[in-house]
Amino acid sequence: MMLRKILVFVITAVFLSACAGTSKPATDITVEMTDFSYNPSSITIPAGQPVTLTLKNTGFVEHDFVIKEINVGMTAIESNGSEGHAHGTGAEYDLHVSTMPGDTSVLQFNVLEPGTYEFFCSVEGHKEAGMIGELIVLAQE
């Protein structure tokens, strides 16, 4: 119940900040994973700052959030996802969190280097179906 209240607060905050037209990078972001897309599919965050990414799976199958190569300073994961889903042989990812249908996962991290990074769902066939996005990391001012 507490997680649901936090989720509603985060969604409201993200919505209000989007309505304000601010281009300031966010540090608390909620992403909805559906069959087969991310909403939003483009995320902007500041480099070197702790980020909390809440991933809500509203689809009918397991989805995950993967960035293959990214220089992160710290990560913490709160997930109910499966570790055994089919995401390719020998796959190693710098950021990875999996979420079962109807559930929510939280990934906390900070990115050390500015740049644009592709994120995708590594469940077999999902990336090919268009489940991709971009993480834009801005240098600190």
Side-chain angles (χ1 to χ4, degrees):
M1 186 68 163
M2 181 63 158
L3 183 58
R4 182 170 284 158
K5 287 180 182 180
I6 292 171
L7 183 59
V8 169
F9 175 78
V10 170
I11 290 171
T12 302
V14 169
F15 178 74
L16 291 175
S17 69
C19 291
T22 179
S23 62
K24 192 174 183 183
T27 56
D28 290 311
I29 302 123
T30 298
V31 173
E32 183 178 336
M33 300 183 294
T34 63
D35 303 327
F36 295 91
S37 65
Y38 296 99
N39 185 24
S41 61
S42 181
I43 302 167
T44 302
I45 64 170
Q49 297 295 314
V51 172
T52 300
L53 179 62
T54 302
L55 297 154
K56 183 177 181 182
N57 185 348
T58 60
F60 294 103
V61 297
E62 178 181 10
H63 293 297
D64 66 1
F65 178 93
V66 169
I67 298 179
K68 189 172 184 175
E69 292 181 20
I70 190 168
N71 189 4
V72 291
M74 61 91 182
T75 60
I77 300 171
E78 181 182 316
S79 172
N80 63 355
S82 158
E83 294 301 319
H85 66 269
H87 55 66
T89 58
E92 292 290 327
Y93 305 119
D94 288 342
L95 281 180
H96 180 224
V97 63
S98 179
T99 309
M100 299 303 288
D103 287 329
T104 300
S105 295
V106 177
L107 180 62
Q108 295 176 318
F109 60 97
N110 69 352
V111 179
L112 301 177
E113 297 176 15
T116 301
Y117 303 89
E118 178 186 65
F119 61 83
F120 59 93
C121 183
S122 70
V123 175
E124 190 173 335
H126 291 200
K127 181 179 181 183
E128 294 76 13
M131 199 164 180
I132 58 173
E134 67 179 357
L135 177 70
I136 301 164
V137 183
L138 301 178
Q140 289 184 312
E141 296 178 14

